[in-house]
Amino acid sequence: MAIKTEPLVVNIGPQHPSTHGVFRMRVTLDGERIIDAEMIVGYLHRSMEKLAEERTWTQNIPFTDRMDYLAAMTGNLSYCIAVERLAGIEVPERAQYLRVIFAELQRIASHAMANGTFVNDCGAWQTPLFYMFREREKVLDLFEMTCGARLTLNYMRIGGVAFDLPDEFLPQLRSLLDELPDRFGEYEDLLIDNEILLMRSRGIGVLSPELAMNASMSGPMLRGSGIVWDIRKADPYCVYDRMDFDIPVGHTGDCYDRFVVRMEELRQSVRIIEQAVEQLPPGSHLADVPLNLRPPKGEIYSRIESPKGELGFYLVSDGGPEPYRFHVRSPSLLNLSALREMVVGQTVADAIVTLGSIDINVGEVDR
Amino acid sequence: MAATTRIGGAQLAEHIEAGVADAIEETAEDWVLVRPERLVEVMTFLRDDRELDARYLNALSGVDHFDYFEIVYHLSSLSHNHEMTVKVRADHDEPEAPSVVSVWHGAHLQEREIYDLLGVNFSGHPNMKRIFLWEGFPGHPLRKDYMAMPGGQSPGLRRFPKEDPEQWAGEFRGD
Amino acid sequence: MPLLANWYDLRDLGNGVARLIEALRDAGAPDGLIYAITGLLGAVAILLFVGLAAIINIWIERRLIARIQVRRGPNRVGPFGLLQPVADALKLIQKEALQPNNADGIVFTLAPIVIFIPVILAFAVLPWGEQMVLADLNVGVLYLLALGSTTPIILFMAGYASNNKYALLGSMRVIAMLISYELPMVMALLGVVTFAGTMQMSGIVDFQQTHWSWLIFFQPLAFLIFLLGGTAELNRTPADIAEAESEIIAGFHIEYSGMKFGLFYAAELVNAVAMSGIIATLFLGGWWAFGLEQWVPGWLIFISKIYAVYFILIWFRGTLPRFRIDQLMAFAWKFLLPLAIINVFVVALEVLLWREYELSAGVVLPVAAVVNFALAGVLIAGWARVMGQAFERAPKKPRLFSEIEVPLPDEAAPEAGSGQTEPATV
C-alpha cells in the first residue's frame, strides 16, 4: 500500500536566526528533502538608487555604507573609485595605500563574520562565531580610532580618504598583524579537520564552475568553484598591482571549499596589509575636489573586489551635481542567482549551510 | 599584471556584424546598440565566440531616458580579461525587451529588479515578478516621471503608497 | 559502616532517616505510615535538589559556555551573576504564556508539565549514599530505560499540539532520533548489567566497591556509547537536531513562551543532571570513590561526579557543530549499534569464562580491563576507517595561484596551473 504524502511548504524567514537578516526562502519539502525553493527578498529595500538621484555625488557616500553594513569600507571605496574614474580625479599615493589597508582590514572583518556565522549555521553553538568576533572587534577598534565609527564608516572620500592616520594607529595595527596569523591558526585547528564540519559541508551546495560563471557569481563563490579570478589581480585598482599575494581557489565548489577559501583570504589580507604598511608613503591623503562636483556627461561601470564579490557601480552623469542614474551591481544579490539550483534535492539543514556559505548581506541584496 | 582591456564600440560592432548580420543599430566609442529583436542572438554569439568569450555578465542596468529605456549589459571575458558594453533600447510607453536568461543565468534576478523598479517587461523571462516591492505596488519608482504617475500617487515621505488589498487575498490564511 | 550510626553523621543522610524509622517503630506506628513518611522525606529531598540544580545549572552552563567562547557570561545580578537564573525565572513567570489559535489547547498545556515526570522519576533509583536510595528497585536499569522511552511521546505532544511546521519537523526528528538511540544505549547498558550481574543501581555500585574499581575501566566502549547516546537523548549538541536553533529555530518548543517555555528549559537542564547521575552511578562508581567516602560524604562525591559528567556535556555543546539528521541516524545504526553488540558478545564471553571456571576476580578483572580497552580502541579506529567517507581524503587546503588564469571553455581546467604556488602556511 502506498503511503499518501503531501509536500509541506515552509517559509524559512524572514524572521529566522540563520537567514542573516530578513531574507526569506519558501521551500517545499518532501519529508526533510527540499523539492522546490523560491527566494523572496525586499524586506530591507530602502530605495537607495532612487534616493541617490536626488543627492549630490558626495552625499551619496553614506548610502554605500548602509548597503553592505558588514563591509562598509569597500562599499565606500567602490563608489569613490567609480566617481573618480568618471570625473578624472587623481588620488594621492598615500590615500591609495590607506585605501588598500582599510579595504583589506574590512575584508578581514567581513570574512571573519562570514566564517563565524557559517560554522554557526552548521550548528556549532556560537563558539567559532565568538572566536572570530574577537578578531573583528580589534579591526573595528582600528576603524573607530581612525574615523570615529565602527560599522557605517563613511571614511572614503572622492579623491582620497577623510582623515589621515592617528599616531597610535600604526603600532596597534602592527601588534594586530603579529597576532592575527596565530589566531587564524587557532581557528583552523578547531575547524579545518573537524569531522562533523566536514560531514556537514563537504559535497553540500556544490556549484560547478560553468554555472558559477554563467550565473554571475563572484568573490569567494567563484573562487570556491575553482575559477582563478580576482579583480584585485585582473583589474588592479588603488595600488594592488604593487602587492604580492595569492588567490586561493577551491577544488570542488562545495560549502567547505568556500569556507577554506575565506580562511586563506584572511591570511592573504594580512600579507597585503603588511606590504602596504611597509610601502606607505608620506604626503597628502585627500586630493582637492570641488565641493560641488559636476563630473562630465558620460557613464561608467567600475568594479572592485569587495569581501562578498564583485561590487560594481554603474553611474550615469548628465553633467549635473547629482547622478542621473546610480545602479549598484551587488554581489550579494547575484550570488543568490543559483540558490535554487544549489539547494533543491538537499535537506533543510543543508540548505541553511548552503545559504550560510554564500555569505549574503540582506542590506546589500535589497539596497 | 595587466588591467582589464576594453573592447571599443567600433571593434565590437565589427565582430558582431561578422557573426550576426544586421543587428547593430548604433555604435559609439564604448558601446554598441543592438536591435531588440536580434538581442538574444547577438548575446549568444558573444558568449560562445572564442575571441570575445563574454561568458560573464557583470551587470545589467536599466536607465530611464524619458523617451526610451536603455538596458545596459556589461559583459566580460575572464579568459581574455577584457570587457565590453552592449545596450538595447525599449519604448517608453510599453517598454519591452527580450530576456537574456537563456544566455546567462545571472540575468535572472537583475531583469526582475529592472522590471520591478523601471517597469521594463522582459519577454521570455521564466518568472517575471516584482522582486523588491510587493505585488500591487503602484508604478515603478525608479522612473524619472514617477512623481507624476497616473493614479494621483504622490510618493515621498508624506504619504506612503497603499497596497491594493485585493492583491493579498488568498496570500494569508487565518482570521 | 555500622548499621545505626549517629543521626548527625553527615556522611550518609540515610542515618537520620534510619533513626527516625527506629523511633517511629518504637512508638508503635504502623508500617504504612513509616513508609509514607520516609518516602515523603526522600521525595522532598530529591525535589529540593532538582529545583536547586535547575537554577544553579543555568548559571553554570551559561558561565562555562561563556568561558569557552572567550566572553564573560552573566555577571551583573548578584555576586558573580549568581542570581541571574532567579531574575530569568521571574521574567519568565511574568510573561504571557501565549497559545496559538489552532493549537490543541489541552495537549499544548499538558506537554511542558508532563515532561517533568520522567525526569524527576529517574532520580528515585539513583543511590546517593550507602543507604540513600529512595526506591532501590531490583530492575533499576530497566526502569531508567523505560523512563527514557517516554520522553519522545511528550516531545511529540509538544510539537504536534503547537500546529507549527517547524515544531512538526522538530518532533519528527526527535522521534526518529530518540528511537534510534534507544537501541545502542540499551545494548551498552546490557554489557554493564552482564558484567555486574545485577540490574539494581545500588547493586552495581556495590559491585564496583567490592572489586575496588569503577566500571568505566571494564566497559570503556559501553561508556562511550552511552555518553554519545546520552547527548542525543538529551537533545544537546552535536545531536540537538530536534531544536536546531539555526535550522528549525527551536523545534518542538517554538510556540511556547513564558513559563511553559521555562519548564521545557528547566526539564532539559534537570534531564542533563539525571543523565549525568546515571552515568556517574553506572560507570564512575556512584557515591563510592576508592575510600574517599570515609571522609567525604558520599552524596557530595556523587554530586561532584554528576557535575564532572555534566561538564563534559557542556564542553561538547561549546565545541562541536551539529550533525544532519541522516548522519545522526547513520551514526547510531552503523557505528554505535554494531559496536555495542560486539561489546555485549565480548562481555558475555568474559563473564561466562569467569563464572564457568570460577576464576578469581583478581585475575579476571585486570585481564578483562586490558582486553576491553584494546577492543574499544581497535573497534573504534577500525570501524571509523571502514565507515570513513571520501570527504576525509579530499584535499583540505585551497590551491593558491599568483596570477589569474581562466581557461576557455574547450581548454583543460587549470588543474596544475603554471601560476600555482605552494601554500604559504600549512
Side-chain angles (χ1 to χ4, degrees):
Chain A
M1 189 186 79
I3 302 170
K4 185 177 171 296
T5 58
E6 49 182 273
L8 182 70
V9 180
V10 177
N11 276 308
I12 299 181
Q15 304 290 336
H16 189 283
S18 291
T19 51
H20 304 255
V22 278
F23 176 79
R24 175 169 155 210
M25 194 159 46
R26 187 193 285 165
V27 295
T28 312
L29 297 179
D30 177 19
E32 284 245 352
R33 209 151 282 280
I34 294 174
I35 51 179
D36 194 15
E38 186 192 359
M39 57 164 257
I40 297 161
V41 296
Y43 296 93
L44 208 57
H45 182 60
R46 289 154 292 173
S47 68
M48 278 180 187
E49 296 185 0
K50 183 76 181 172
L51 289 170
E53 288 172 10
E54 311 274 320
R55 276 150 186 78
T56 67
W57 295 90
T58 319
Q59 282 174 342
N60 283 333
I61 298 176
F63 283 137
T64 61
D65 285 331
R66 273 100 186 144
M67 267 177 2
D68 185 354
Y69 40 79
L70 296 176
M73 207 54 104
T74 45
N76 289 179
L77 180 60
S78 183
Y79 175 69
C80 291
I81 288 179
V83 178
E84 283 154 12
R85 284 183 185 163
L86 187 62
I89 296 168
E90 281 292 317
V91 181
E93 197 163 46
R94 185 174 172 84
Q96 303 268 26
Y97 276 97
L98 290 180
R99 282 176 169 191
V100 169
I101 292 173
F102 281 103
E104 291 306 315
L105 280 174
Q106 184 69 77
R107 194 182 309 277
I108 290 174
S110 175
H111 277 356
M113 181 86 181
N115 272 352
T117 49
F118 168 68
V119 187
N120 209 15
D121 290 345
C122 289
W125 207 76
Q126 303 194 335
T127 306
L129 182 67
F130 277 108
Y131 274 42
M132 284 272 109
F133 262 42
R134 183 180 54 183
E135 276 70 71
R136 183 168 174 270
E137 278 305 296
K138 290 182 178 153
V139 173
L140 296 190
D141 284 345
L142 287 174
F143 288 164
E144 190 180 13
M145 184 190 291
T146 313
C147 59
R150 292 169 73 86
L151 208 62
T152 48
L153 303 154
N154 197 13
Y155 178 59
M156 307 283 176
R157 291 284 184 276
I158 296 165
V161 295
F163 313 102
D164 208 343
L165 297 179
D167 293 338
E168 64 271 30
F169 180 87
L170 283 175
Q172 195 163 331
L173 178 64
R174 187 70 260 161
S175 71
L176 178 64
L177 290 181
D178 292 340
E179 186 187 312
L180 278 178
D182 293 346
R183 299 291 198 188
F184 297 150
E186 241 175 59
Y187 196 69
E188 284 173 356
D189 288 345
L190 179 65
L191 291 171
I192 290 278
D193 283 327
N194 190 316
E195 197 87 359
I196 301 177
L197 186 72
L198 282 167
M199 275 166 101
R200 284 303 302 278
S201 55
R202 269 271 156 93
I204 303 301
V206 177
L207 185 65
S208 69
E210 294 79 30
L211 180 62
M213 204 188 277
N214 196 265
S216 298
M217 295 288 167
S218 51
M221 294 286 286
L222 197 62
R223 289 192 282 277
S225 290
I227 296 176
V228 192
W229 179 258
D230 191 323
I231 297 170
R232 290 174 293 173
K233 289 272 192 197
D235 191 9
Y237 49 94
C238 296
V239 285
Y240 276 108
D241 45 350
R242 298 179 210 170
M243 304 293 162
D244 177 31
F245 64 98
D246 291 326
I247 311 170
V249 172
H251 298 267
T252 52
D254 53 18
C255 295
Y256 185 77
D257 273 344
R258 295 193 271 276
F259 170 72
V260 289
V261 163
R262 289 202 182 94
M263 283 313 294
E264 186 58 37
E265 277 184 21
L266 289 170
R267 290 181 183 278
Q268 299 297 338
S269 290
V270 173
R271 256 178 91 188
I272 295 173
I273 299 171
E274 271 168 355
Q275 294 170 42
V277 171
E278 221 166 81
Q279 300 170 14
L280 184 64
S284 160
H285 65 278
L286 189 58
D288 272 339
V289 177
L291 203 57
N292 189 5
L293 183 69
R294 286 166 186 268
K297 203 169 173 177
E299 59 179 55
I300 186 96
Y301 176 72
S302 148
R303 55 193 177 154
I304 69 159
E305 183 80 20
S306 93
K308 307 274 191 293
E310 177 182 330
L311 176 58
F313 277 86
Y314 176 65
L315 302 175
V316 181
S317 164
D318 57 353
E322 309 124 358
Y324 182 79
R325 176 81 171 93
F326 172 98
H327 179 247
V328 188
R329 185 261 191 227
S330 82
S332 293
L333 177 67
L334 289 186
N335 284 352
L336 286 171
S337 307
L339 181 69
R340 191 170 177 282
E341 283 73 9
M342 283 157 80
V343 301
V344 168
Q346 300 182 337
T347 61
V348 180
D350 291 337
I352 298 293
V353 173
T354 308
L355 188 63
S357 78
I358 296 176
D359 182 24
I360 57 163
N361 183 316
V362 181
E364 199 180 40
V365 172
D366 294 349
R367 298 189 299 286
Chain B
M1 222 174 297
T4 305
T5 47
R6 165 161 282 281
I7 296 191
Q11 200 187 342
L12 186 59
E14 210 173 290
H15 269 293
I16 292 175
E17 282 297 335
V20 184
D22 191 29
I24 307 293
E25 202 172 314
E26 194 184 323
T27 306
E29 189 190 343
D30 273 347
W31 44 267
V32 292
L33 185 67
V34 175
R35 282 180 214 288
E37 58 272 19
R38 311 301 298 271
L39 180 76
V40 177
E41 217 176 314
V42 170
M43 290 307 192
T44 316
F45 166 74
L46 288 177
R47 184 191 66 182
D48 295 337
D49 186 57
R50 269 189 70 88
E51 261 174 71
L52 291 172
D53 181 47
R55 276 182 296 158
Y56 194 79
L57 172 70
N58 283 82
L60 208 164
S61 329
V63 188
D64 182 3
H65 281 292
F66 288 106
D67 322 330
Y68 57 89
F69 286 105
E70 206 167 67
I71 319 294
V72 190
Y73 300 83
H74 293 277
L75 314 172
S76 65
S77 162
L78 306 192
S79 306
H80 300 305
N81 198 3
H82 59 219
E83 58 183 14
M84 59 206 96
T85 310
V86 177
K87 290 185 178 182
V88 69
R89 278 182 187 161
D91 179 46
H92 193 272
D93 295 330
E94 276 181 24
E96 186 161 335
S99 164
V100 292
V101 176
S102 56
V103 187
W104 294 287
H105 191 76
H108 188 116
L109 295 177
Q110 304 190 69
E111 283 182 355
R112 274 179 72 183
E113 184 189 339
I114 291 174
Y115 167 71
D116 188 357
L117 300 178
L118 279 169
V120 180
N121 200 3
F122 287 90
S123 53
H125 190 284
N127 186 17
M128 196 81 266
K129 288 199 300 193
R130 282 179 178 267
I131 181 167
F132 293 142
L133 304 171
W134 56 91
E135 294 294 332
F137 185 90
H140 301 282
L142 218 53
R143 288 190 179 183
K144 292 285 175 188
D145 58 354
Y146 179 59
M147 304 295 271
M149 294 223 15
Q153 294 295 339
S154 74
L157 292 176
R158 282 175 299 140
R159 201 175 351 132
F160 198 70
K162 296 271 197 311
E163 68 260 24
D164 180 8
E166 289 297 309
Q167 289 282 347
W168 293 91
E171 179 83 6
F172 296 116
R173 65 198 165 81
D175 293 335
Chain C
M1 205 175 281
L3 193 64
L4 283 180
N6 292 320
W7 64 269
Y8 50 81
D9 186 354
L10 278 180
R11 284 176 302 178
D12 200 329
L13 296 181
N15 291 329
V17 181
R19 278 313 179 95
L20 183 66
I21 293 174
E22 197 189 5
L24 283 172
R25 219 171 248 147
D26 289 350
D31 279 359
L33 187 66
I34 297 175
Y35 185 78
I37 288 179
T38 50
L40 207 64
L41 266 177
V44 167
I46 283 176
L47 282 177
L48 263 178
F49 173 75
V50 167
L52 265 178
I55 288 185
I56 298 282
N57 284 6
I58 299 178
W59 182 81
I60 290 179
E61 180 142 4
R62 286 180 65 179
R63 285 292 279 210
L64 272 176
I65 290 269
R67 280 292 147 196
I68 292 171
Q69 294 175 346
V70 291
R71 57 192 174 89
R72 292 224 167 85
N75 61 355
R76 280 288 177 271
V77 192
F80 310 109
L82 267 170
L83 294 181
Q84 182 69 43
V86 179
D88 286 351
L90 281 178
K91 183 204 78 174
L92 282 178
I93 289 168
Q94 286 174 44
K95 278 178 88 168
E96 183 187 0
L98 293 169
Q99 180 179 324
N101 254 352
N102 300 330
D104 185 337
I106 298 170
V107 184
F108 186 81
T109 317
L110 210 55
I113 301 168
V114 178
I115 194 159
F116 252 100
I117 295 175
V119 182
I120 293 181
L121 284 182
F123 282 91
V125 294
L126 296 182
W128 297 78
E130 194 164 14
Q131 303 167 53
M132 287 171 66
V133 194
L134 184 60
D136 200 5
L137 300 181
N138 52 2
V139 287
V141 174
L142 196 65
Y143 168 80
L144 286 174
L145 288 170
L147 286 178
S149 321
T150 54
T151 321
I153 304 172
I154 301 161
L155 297 186
F156 187 71
M157 273 165 68
Y160 182 75
S162 303
N163 200 3
N164 180 304
K165 287 168 182 173
Y166 287 117
L168 188 66
L169 276 175
S171 41
M172 265 157 55
R173 286 173 170 199
V174 94
I175 297 259
M177 178 177 76
L178 291 185
I179 290 176
S180 304
Y181 272 85
E182 207 95 296
L183 277 160
M185 283 174 77
V186 171
M187 288 291 175
L189 287 191
L190 197 55
V192 175
V193 168
T194 318
F195 216 93
T198 176
M199 275 196 170
Q200 203 170 8
M201 298 299 269
S202 59
I204 291 174
V205 178
D206 273 347
F207 173 84
Q208 306 182 58
Q209 192 183 10
T210 323
H211 294 291
W212 197 256
S213 176
W214 292 344
L215 264 169
I216 183 176
F217 300 125
F218 307 131
Q219 288 289 303
L221 199 55
F223 171 73
L224 274 178
I225 291 169
F226 195 77
L227 182 67
L228 295 177
T231 51
E233 193 96 330
L234 294 173
N235 276 328
R236 293 175 78 89
T237 330
D240 61 339
I241 55 167
E243 49 193 79
E245 195 220 348
S246 62
E247 292 155 22
I248 51 173
I249 307 172
F252 56 87
H253 61 66
I254 183 171
E255 289 287 5
Y256 285 90
S257 62
M259 206 51 211
K260 284 180 181 171
F261 163 74
L263 283 174
F264 273 114
Y265 192 64
E268 200 173 293
L269 292 164
V270 177
N271 218 342
V273 174
M275 185 59 75
S276 311
I278 296 169
I279 292 176
T281 311
L282 294 181
F283 294 99
L284 300 175
W287 50 268
W288 176 80
F290 300 106
L292 190 67
E293 75 280 358
Q294 297 291 333
W295 293 282
V296 183
W299 46 277
L300 272 186
I301 294 178
F302 186 60
I303 289 174
S304 51
K305 279 179 185 172
I306 285 180
Y307 278 95
V309 179
Y310 187 49
F311 172 72
I312 297 179
L313 293 176
I314 294 174
W315 199 1
F316 275 179
R317 183 173 179 194
T319 318
L320 294 175
R322 180 190 309 121
F323 281 111
R324 208 169 60 207
I325 179 157
D326 54 328
Q327 292 162 347
L328 201 66
M329 298 294 123
F331 187 63
W333 291 102
K334 294 182 187 166
F335 192 86
L336 293 183
L337 188 59
L339 294 196
I341 290 176
I342 294 173
N343 186 50
V344 168
F345 276 116
V346 173
V347 169
L349 193 67
E350 281 165 0
V351 172
L352 184 72
L353 290 175
W354 183 13
R355 302 268 191 271
E356 193 77 359
Y357 296 100
E358 292 176 351
L359 299 171
S360 100
V363 178
V364 171
L365 290 181
V367 174
V370 171
V371 167
N372 283 341
F373 259 99
L375 187 79
V378 170
L379 275 180
I380 289 172
W383 212 275
R385 180 150 302 211
V386 172
M387 301 302 299
Q389 314 226 339
F391 61 74
E392 265 292 280
R393 293 188 281 278
K396 287 174 192 143
K397 280 274 168 194
R399 295 172 288 162
L400 293 180
F401 292 81
S402 57
E403 289 297 325
I404 59 158
E405 184 184 337
V406 183
L408 283 167
D410 44 0
E411 285 171 5
E415 202 47 63
S418 52
Q420 192 172 0
T421 55
E422 282 300 306
T425 49
V426 178

